[in-house]
Amino acid sequence: MAEHPIEGLMKTAMESIKEMVDVNTIVGDPVETPDGSVIIPVSRVACGFAAGGGEFESGSDRNQQKQDQQQDGTSIPFGGGSGAGVSVQPVGFLVVGQGQIRLLPVDGNAMVDRLIDVAPQILSQIQGMFQRGNKKREEEKIQC
């Protein structure tokens, strides 16, 4: 049985999407910096696809026309189309190096994310200040 024309349209559109989007579109090629860190771009990819078509009749009796064309071996006139779209949005950069892994986001909330990343360091510094203050007080008490 011959392939219906809509199948060819769909196959072509899907192959085009497959060519446009691969794993390197989502997780980009790593780039090594002079200090040895590796930066990996990360993106969000969205795809859309549509295909449609219809068979046309030239006479008033469609069923009779189909029977005649099937007997003759001719195909029914067909018209159709397909389309696809791909959207790629950068999400951020994955930075691997200096014994840690960080995600540097691209969006406007980067300040909040950066504060969350830095919070443990700030807390440990504040703890260190209190511990040094307590040690100084203990030394003053001992000297008195």
Side-chain angles (χ1 to χ4, degrees):
M1 185 171 170
E3 181 180 282
H4 195 276
I6 193 74
E7 292 177 25
L9 286 172
M10 292 176 65
K11 199 177 293 184
T12 303
M14 293 303 289
E15 287 172 3
S16 297
I17 291 175
K18 194 172 162 182
E19 288 175 15
M20 287 188 284
V21 180
D22 65 357
V23 72
N24 291 329
T25 307
I26 299 167
V27 178
D29 295 325
V31 177
E32 189 168 350
T33 62
D35 71 348
S37 297
V38 177
I39 300 172
I40 304 168
V42 180
S43 300
R44 176 182 300 125
V45 177
C47 300
F49 168 75
E55 296 172 343
F56 297 97
E57 61 182 76
S58 59
S60 60
D61 187 6
R62 183 172 182 170
N63 290 333
Q64 182 62 42
Q65 183 183 0
K66 277 189 178 183
Q67 288 173 1
D68 291 344
Q69 287 174 341
Q70 287 173 354
Q71 289 172 358
D72 295 347
T74 59
S75 63
I76 299 170
F78 175 81
S82 66
V86 177
S87 169
V88 180
Q89 297 175 329
V91 173
F93 297 94
L94 198 60
V95 180
V96 180
Q98 301 172 355
Q100 60 181 345
I101 299 172
R102 293 178 297 159
L103 177 65
L104 301 176
V106 175
D107 66 358
N109 295 331
M111 180 60 89
V112 174
D113 292 336
R114 182 70 182 139
L115 286 173
I116 291 171
D117 287 343
V118 176
Q121 295 170 353
I122 293 173
L123 287 174
S124 65
Q125 288 177 353
I126 291 172
Q127 258 183 337
M129 288 181 354
F130 281 122
Q131 288 173 352
R132 280 180 274 176
N134 288 339
K135 285 181 184 178
K136 284 183 183 178
R137 287 187 199 134
E138 289 176 16
E139 288 175 2
E140 288 174 0
K141 286 180 184 178
I142 294 172
Q143 289 177 357
C144 291

PDB file of all heavy atoms in Angstrom, residues 129-143:
ATOM      1  N   MET A 129      33.476  35.228  63.804  1.00  0.00           N
ATOM      2  CA  MET A 129      33.622  36.501  64.521  1.00  0.00           C
ATOM      3  C   MET A 129      33.166  36.342  65.972  1.00  0.00           C
ATOM      4  O   MET A 129      33.812  36.846  66.887  1.00  0.00           O
ATOM      5  CB  MET A 129      32.808  37.608  63.827  1.00  0.00           C
ATOM      6  CG  MET A 129      33.436  38.025  62.519  1.00  0.00           C
ATOM      7  SD  MET A 129      32.625  39.348  61.570  1.00  0.00           S
ATOM      8  CE  MET A 129      31.147  39.725  62.393  1.00  0.00           C
ATOM      9  N   PHE A 130      32.051  35.647  66.206  1.00  0.00           N
ATOM     10  CA  PHE A 130      31.570  35.452  67.570  1.00  0.00           C
ATOM     11  C   PHE A 130      32.534  34.587  68.378  1.00  0.00           C
ATOM     12  O   PHE A 130      32.786  34.839  69.542  1.00  0.00           O
ATOM     13  CB  PHE A 130      30.173  34.807  67.579  1.00  0.00           C
ATOM     14  CG  PHE A 130      29.067  35.787  67.292  1.00  0.00           C
ATOM     15  CD1 PHE A 130      28.210  35.586  66.214  1.00  0.00           C
ATOM     16  CD2 PHE A 130      28.875  36.899  68.094  1.00  0.00           C
ATOM     17  CE1 PHE A 130      27.197  36.475  65.950  1.00  0.00           C
ATOM     18  CE2 PHE A 130      27.865  37.792  67.832  1.00  0.00           C
ATOM     19  CZ  PHE A 130      27.009  37.586  66.752  1.00  0.00           C
ATOM     20  N   GLN A 131      33.069  33.558  67.719  1.00  0.00           N
ATOM     21  CA  GLN A 131      34.009  32.681  68.424  1.00  0.00           C
ATOM     22  C   GLN A 131      35.279  33.435  68.794  1.00  0.00           C
ATOM     23  O   GLN A 131      35.809  33.272  69.896  1.00  0.00           O
ATOM     24  CB  GLN A 131      34.346  31.459  67.559  1.00  0.00           C
ATOM     25  CG  GLN A 131      33.191  30.486  67.452  1.00  0.00           C
ATOM     26  CD  GLN A 131      33.468  29.359  66.467  1.00  0.00           C
ATOM     27  OE1 GLN A 131      34.467  29.384  65.755  1.00  0.00           O
ATOM     28  NE2 GLN A 131      32.561  28.389  66.422  1.00  0.00           N
ATOM     29  N   ARG A 132      35.776  34.294  67.906  1.00  0.00           N
ATOM     30  CA  ARG A 132      36.961  35.097  68.222  1.00  0.00           C
ATOM     31  C   ARG A 132      36.656  36.088  69.343  1.00  0.00           C
ATOM     32  O   ARG A 132      37.469  36.319  70.217  1.00  0.00           O
ATOM     33  CB  ARG A 132      37.443  35.855  66.986  1.00  0.00           C
ATOM     34  CG  ARG A 132      38.264  34.973  66.056  1.00  0.00           C
ATOM     35  CD  ARG A 132      38.712  35.745  64.876  1.00  0.00           C
ATOM     36  NE  ARG A 132      37.576  35.639  63.944  1.00  0.00           N
ATOM     37  CZ  ARG A 132      37.480  36.228  62.781  1.00  0.00           C
ATOM     38  NH1 ARG A 132      38.411  37.014  62.366  1.00  0.00           N
ATOM     39  NH2 ARG A 132      36.443  36.051  62.025  1.00  0.00           N
ATOM     40  N   GLY A 133      35.446  36.653  69.326  1.00  0.00           N
ATOM     41  CA  GLY A 133      35.041  37.589  70.383  1.00  0.00           C
ATOM     42  C   GLY A 133      34.975  36.900  71.736  1.00  0.00           C
ATOM     43  O   GLY A 133      35.388  37.449  72.758  1.00  0.00           O
ATOM     44  N   ASN A 134      34.457  35.665  71.757  1.00  0.00           N
ATOM     45  CA  ASN A 134      34.377  34.911  73.015  1.00  0.00           C
ATOM     46  C   ASN A 134      35.769  34.557  73.524  1.00  0.00           C
ATOM     47  O   ASN A 134      36.028  34.592  74.733  1.00  0.00           O
ATOM     48  CB  ASN A 134      33.555  33.629  72.814  1.00  0.00           C
ATOM     49  CG  ASN A 134      32.074  33.922  72.645  1.00  0.00           C
ATOM     50  OD1 ASN A 134      31.597  34.988  73.056  1.00  0.00           O
ATOM     51  ND2 ASN A 134      31.356  33.001  72.041  1.00  0.00           N
ATOM     52  N   LYS A 135      36.693  34.215  72.633  1.00  0.00           N
ATOM     53  CA  LYS A 135      38.055  33.875  73.043  1.00  0.00           C
ATOM     54  C   LYS A 135      38.739  35.095  73.661  1.00  0.00           C
ATOM     55  O   LYS A 135      39.452  34.983  74.663  1.00  0.00           O
ATOM     56  CB  LYS A 135      38.867  33.364  71.846  1.00  0.00           C
ATOM     57  CG  LYS A 135      38.508  31.969  71.423  1.00  0.00           C
ATOM     58  CD  LYS A 135      39.356  31.525  70.252  1.00  0.00           C
ATOM     59  CE  LYS A 135      38.914  30.149  69.769  1.00  0.00           C
ATOM     60  NZ  LYS A 135      39.694  29.734  68.595  1.00  0.00           N
ATOM     61  N   LYS A 136      38.535  36.271  73.075  1.00  0.00           N
ATOM     62  CA  LYS A 136      39.148  37.496  73.609  1.00  0.00           C
ATOM     63  C   LYS A 136      38.614  37.786  75.011  1.00  0.00           C
ATOM     64  O   LYS A 136      39.352  38.166  75.900  1.00  0.00           O
ATOM     65  CB  LYS A 136      38.868  38.682  72.690  1.00  0.00           C
ATOM     66  CG  LYS A 136      39.709  38.682  71.438  1.00  0.00           C
ATOM     67  CD  LYS A 136      39.434  39.923  70.615  1.00  0.00           C
ATOM     68  CE  LYS A 136      40.224  39.897  69.331  1.00  0.00           C
ATOM     69  NZ  LYS A 136      39.948  41.052  68.485  1.00  0.00           N
ATOM     70  N   ARG A 137      37.315  37.613  75.207  1.00  0.00           N
ATOM     71  CA  ARG A 137      36.717  37.845  76.541  1.00  0.00           C
ATOM     72  C   ARG A 137      37.300  36.885  77.577  1.00  0.00           C
ATOM     73  O   ARG A 137      37.566  37.258  78.705  1.00  0.00           O
ATOM     74  CB  ARG A 137      35.195  37.705  76.460  1.00  0.00           C
ATOM     75  CG  ARG A 137      34.545  38.862  75.775  1.00  0.00           C
ATOM     76  CD  ARG A 137      33.030  38.766  75.861  1.00  0.00           C
ATOM     77  NE  ARG A 137      32.457  39.624  74.830  1.00  0.00           N
ATOM     78  CZ  ARG A 137      31.486  39.279  74.020  1.00  0.00           C
ATOM     79  NH1 ARG A 137      30.954  38.081  74.100  1.00  0.00           N
ATOM     80  NH2 ARG A 137      31.025  40.124  73.126  1.00  0.00           N
ATOM     81  N   GLU A 138      37.448  35.604  77.183  1.00  0.00           N
ATOM     82  CA  GLU A 138      38.007  34.621  78.097  1.00  0.00           C
ATOM     83  C   GLU A 138      39.456  34.972  78.453  1.00  0.00           C
ATOM     84  O   GLU A 138      39.870  34.836  79.600  1.00  0.00           O
ATOM     85  CB  GLU A 138      37.942  33.221  77.468  1.00  0.00           C
ATOM     86  CG  GLU A 138      36.536  32.666  77.389  1.00  0.00           C
ATOM     87  CD  GLU A 138      36.478  31.317  76.672  1.00  0.00           C
ATOM     88  OE1 GLU A 138      37.532  30.683  76.510  1.00  0.00           O
ATOM     89  OE2 GLU A 138      35.370  30.913  76.281  1.00  0.00           O
ATOM     90  N   GLU A 139      40.219  35.454  77.446  1.00  0.00           N
ATOM     91  CA  GLU A 139      41.615  35.841  77.718  1.00  0.00           C
ATOM     92  C   GLU A 139      41.666  37.043  78.660  1.00  0.00           C
ATOM     93  O   GLU A 139      42.519  37.117  79.558  1.00  0.00           O
ATOM     94  CB  GLU A 139      42.310  36.186  76.390  1.00  0.00           C
ATOM     95  CG  GLU A 139      42.575  34.972  75.535  1.00  0.00           C
ATOM     96  CD  GLU A 139      43.153  35.343  74.165  1.00  0.00           C
ATOM     97  OE1 GLU A 139      43.390  36.555  73.896  1.00  0.00           O
ATOM     98  OE2 GLU A 139      43.328  34.429  73.341  1.00  0.00           O
ATOM     99  N   GLU A 140      40.725  37.990  78.492  1.00  0.00           N
ATOM    100  CA  GLU A 140      40.685  39.169  79.374  1.00  0.00           C
ATOM    101  C   GLU A 140      40.342  38.751  80.793  1.00  0.00           C
ATOM    102  O   GLU A 140      40.884  39.294  81.753  1.00  0.00           O
ATOM    103  CB  GLU A 140      39.671  40.176  78.837  1.00  0.00           C
ATOM    104  CG  GLU A 140      40.127  40.881  77.574  1.00  0.00           C
ATOM    105  CD  GLU A 140      39.032  41.774  76.992  1.00  0.00           C
ATOM    106  OE1 GLU A 140      37.920  41.837  77.568  1.00  0.00           O
ATOM    107  OE2 GLU A 140      39.285  42.400  75.951  1.00  0.00           O
ATOM    108  N   LYS A 141      39.427  37.778  80.955  1.00  0.00           N
ATOM    109  CA  LYS A 141      39.043  37.320  82.278  1.00  0.00           C
ATOM    110  C   LYS A 141      40.223  36.630  82.951  1.00  0.00           C
ATOM    111  O   LYS A 141      40.447  36.776  84.164  1.00  0.00           O
ATOM    112  CB  LYS A 141      37.869  36.344  82.198  1.00  0.00           C
ATOM    113  CG  LYS A 141      36.562  37.013  81.886  1.00  0.00           C
ATOM    114  CD  LYS A 141      35.436  35.991  81.812  1.00  0.00           C
ATOM    115  CE  LYS A 141      34.133  36.606  81.402  1.00  0.00           C
ATOM    116  NZ  LYS A 141      33.061  35.622  81.287  1.00  0.00           N
ATOM    117  N   ILE A 142      40.997  35.870  82.176  1.00  0.00           N
ATOM    118  CA  ILE A 142      42.152  35.164  82.726  1.00  0.00           C
ATOM    119  C   ILE A 142      43.221  36.158  83.189  1.00  0.00           C
ATOM    120  O   ILE A 142      43.850  35.995  84.237  1.00  0.00           O
ATOM    121  CB  ILE A 142      42.730  34.157  81.704  1.00  0.00           C
ATOM    122  CG1 ILE A 142      41.714  33.048  81.468  1.00  0.00           C
ATOM    123  CG2 ILE A 142      44.057  33.594  82.156  1.00  0.00           C
ATOM    124  CD1 ILE A 142      42.088  32.106  80.341  1.00  0.00           C
ATOM    125  N   GLN A 143      43.432  37.237  82.455  1.00  0.00           N
ATOM    126  CA  GLN A 143      44.458  38.230  82.793  1.00  0.00           C
ATOM    127  C   GLN A 143      44.072  39.031  84.035  1.00  0.00           C
ATOM    128  O   GLN A 143      44.919  39.532  84.711  1.00  0.00           O
ATOM    129  CB  GLN A 143      44.695  39.173  81.605  1.00  0.00           C
ATOM    130  CG  GLN A 143      45.404  38.490  80.453  1.00  0.00           C
ATOM    131  CD  GLN A 143      45.569  39.437  79.262  1.00  0.00           C
ATOM    132  OE1 GLN A 143      45.099  40.562  79.300  1.00  0.00           O
ATOM    133  NE2 GLN A 143      46.216  38.930  78.235  1.00  0.00           N
TER     134      GLN A 143
END
